[in-house]
Amino acid sequence: MHSQTSTHTEHDYARIISVLSYLTIVGWLAGIVLYGSYKSSLAGFHLRQSLGLIIVAALLSFIPLIGWLLNLVVAVFWLISVVHAFKGDYYTVPLVGISFQTHLRFIA
């Protein structure tokens, strides 16, 4: 029974790190610090997805009007990602999520 409780707690900790990573850059930094002491594939996955969304949103912010409108799309995918992180699911952002997982592998 102890191993089930331990596994349940580890999964909850991974979910906390995952959700935290989506809460601004400060939340992402806190998540990466916590991730350093507790490695989880779920947390690592969401840290990469959230950093990718942060980078895309920042780049789109430099493009007047069209970039700003596209940031609304990024915000929708951010919200969907937060919900999936809270549920403990893996959710890859369409079009760019696989690229986040590939190119942000330094978060292993």
Side-chain angles (χ1 to χ4, degrees):
M1 188 74 150
H2 178 67
S3 64
Q4 288 177 340
T5 304
S6 176
T7 304
H8 183 66
T9 304
E10 291 172 4
H11 184 69
D12 288 343
Y13 195 62
R15 286 179 41 219
I16 290 167
I17 294 171
S18 298
V19 171
L20 186 62
S21 71
Y22 288 101
L23 304 179
T24 73
I25 192 69
V26 174
W28 188 87
L29 289 171
I32 198 77
V33 168
L34 292 172
Y35 179 73
S37 63
Y38 174 76
K39 303 281 185 185
S40 159
S41 62
L42 178 69
F45 175 86
H46 283 288
L47 282 163
R48 288 187 292 275
Q49 291 292 297
S50 62
L51 180 59
L53 287 172
I54 290 168
I55 291 169
V56 168
L59 292 174
L60 287 174
S61 297
F62 290 109
I63 305 170
L65 194 58
I66 292 174
W68 302 337
L69 292 173
L70 288 174
N71 258 335
L72 294 175
V73 175
V74 171
V76 168
F77 287 123
W78 170 84
L79 183 61
I80 292 168
S81 297
V82 170
V83 169
H84 282 279
F86 181 77
K87 293 185 337 185
D89 295 338
Y90 292 84
Y91 173 75
T92 305
V93 176
L95 301 176
V96 291
I98 292 172
S99 179
F100 298 161
Q101 294 302 314
T102 303
H103 297 296
L104 300 176
R105 265 292 169 208
F106 66 90
I107 305 168

